[in-house]
Amino acid sequence: MADINLSPLTAEQSAIDRRRRMAEAMQQQAILPIDMPNVAGAKVSPYQGLAKLLQGYIAGKGLERADTQQKELEANTMADYAKVIGLLGQTQTIPGKVITPAVPGVAIPENVARQAELAKLDQPALGFEGQAAIAKNLMRPEDVQQIQNLPTSTVAVPAVMSPDQQVPALKASMLEDPKFTKTSTGRMMLAQALMSQQAQQQAEAIRKREAEQAIVKFGPEDTAGRIVNGKFVPIVQGVKQPKWEKSSKFDADGKEIMGWVNTNAPNIPASFVKGTEKPAMTEAQRLDAELKLFAAENEAAKAIDVGRAPNVFTRLPKCVPVGAKPTGGKTTSGKDVYELNGKKYVGD
């Protein structure tokens, strides 16, 4: 029955086993007795015994070489395992590349010359006449200060580099590098590690994409958005409900007018409404709040289930606050019941 090898990629082991079987077969032949001639008078050649000895010697050397190769194969396989396991899960840094090259500072000769001329005013050796000749064009102190403040060179601009990148230490190119792994078993283990590494990268990418699609800060007064690369990206701007507080203002005649201001308004003084009763949300404000809330709910539904049925916008009854959801129940008179923050509301 033929040998069945269930181990993957063991070409080296198969070759060693094949050479071992050949050496064992040769050794078996060497210990067999010399065949005697069947012809009368024929003699056995003395070289036949020598051939047997040579055959046994060669067979022994073959077995010895097979044992040595077996030990080398095991040592190389363990070394390959150690390399792959040592780099598994590790990363290495790839330095960033130059995006914009550096610009060195360049001297401004005319400014250097003007400041050098100005410095001669402090040299007594010039005498009064020489200093007066230099200073005749510097009649004002601000002229001197301006020359002293002139830049003598342009500003050096450093190079702009791209950020360093962290990449996995195990690469697919290592499979083609004969110096990295010496055995077929080691290359098989490297291939399995690369496939596992790729699966982890794909899973991480899926988790990141799901996190970016998730809607956060969801509510009628909250801004709905997603977390992208660690930053909150708004999708729908929240609408704050009016918060009315009593206030007053004076007219042109100095008469005080009582009313209310919306403390949630961008311009609180401009939100002043005259009257003794607290103002209600206008119909336009209420519709705007309901539409924005509906848009935020749609975005949340798309992130959860792409195969969902389309939502239908339905206005809330006037006495029900924005953000309330129908409970499915009805009153004895048949009116729908809504709930928000644990409180029940009945539609008109």
Side-chain angles (χ1 to χ4, degrees), residues 157-179:
V157 179
V160 178
M161 305 289 293
S162 62
D164 297 343
Q165 293 183 348
Q166 296 292 327
V167 299
L170 289 179
K171 303 179 181 63
S173 59
M174 293 177 175
L175 287 171
E176 302 176 358
D177 186 2
K179 296 181 180 180

Side-chain angles (χ1 to χ4, degrees), residues 127-330:
F128 177 78
E129 293 80 1
Q131 292 179 351
I134 296 174
K136 65 180 181 179
N137 295 326
L138 303 174
M139 303 303 295
R140 298 178 302 171
E142 54 266 27
D143 294 334
V144 177
Q145 185 66 33
Q146 182 180 7
I147 294 176
Q148 291 176 341
N149 292 337
L150 288 175
T152 58
S153 64
T154 60
V155 178
V157 179
V160 178
M161 305 289 293
S162 62
D164 297 343
Q165 293 183 348
Q166 296 292 327
V167 299
L170 289 179
K171 303 179 181 63
S173 59
M174 293 177 175
L175 287 171
E176 302 176 358
D177 186 2
K179 296 181 180 180
F180 183 75
T181 53
K182 297 181 179 180
T183 64
S184 298
T185 307
R187 284 189 290 274
M188 184 62 184
M189 184 180 184
L190 174 59
Q192 292 174 343
L194 288 171
M195 288 188 291
S196 175
Q197 179 176 274
Q198 185 178 12
Q200 292 177 356
Q201 291 174 343
Q202 291 175 345
E204 182 64 27
I206 292 174
R207 286 194 294 269
K208 182 179 179 181
R209 185 166 62 250
E210 290 176 348
E212 291 178 352
Q213 291 177 347
I215 302 296
V216 296
K217 294 186 177 181
F218 173 63
E221 294 190 4
D222 296 326
T223 298
R226 296 189 177 100
I227 302 297
V228 180
N229 295 327
K231 296 181 179 179
F232 178 73
V233 179
I235 298 174
V236 179
Q237 193 69 32
V239 180
K240 288 188 176 182
Q241 302 296 321
K243 184 178 180 182
W244 296 103
E245 293 185 3
K246 289 183 178 181
S247 181
S248 65
K249 70 176 184 179
F250 294 89
D251 59 11
D253 298 330
K255 182 180 179 181
E256 185 177 12
I257 302 174
M258 303 303 297
W260 302 77
V261 291
N262 178 13
T263 57
N264 280 340
N267 188 349
I268 296 178
S271 67
F272 179 82
V273 177
K274 178 183 176 181
T276 56
E277 296 183 3
K278 182 185 297 186
M281 183 184 293
T282 65
E283 187 63 19
Q285 291 173 337
R286 182 179 178 85
L287 177 59
D288 184 60
E290 290 186 28
L291 286 173
K292 289 187 176 181
L293 178 59
F294 176 74
E297 291 174 342
N298 256 350
E299 288 294 329
K302 282 193 286 187
I304 297 172
D305 181 12
V306 295
R308 77 204 186 323
N311 294 332
V312 179
F313 176 70
T314 305
R315 293 297 308 275
L316 292 171
K318 292 184 179 180
C319 60
V320 177
V322 177
K325 300 298 178 185
T327 62
K330 292 182 178 294

Side-chain angles (χ1 to χ4, degrees), residues 119-132 134:
K120 292 180 181 179
L121 290 174
D122 296 331
Q123 298 178 9
L126 291 177
F128 177 78
E129 293 80 1
Q131 292 179 351
I134 296 174

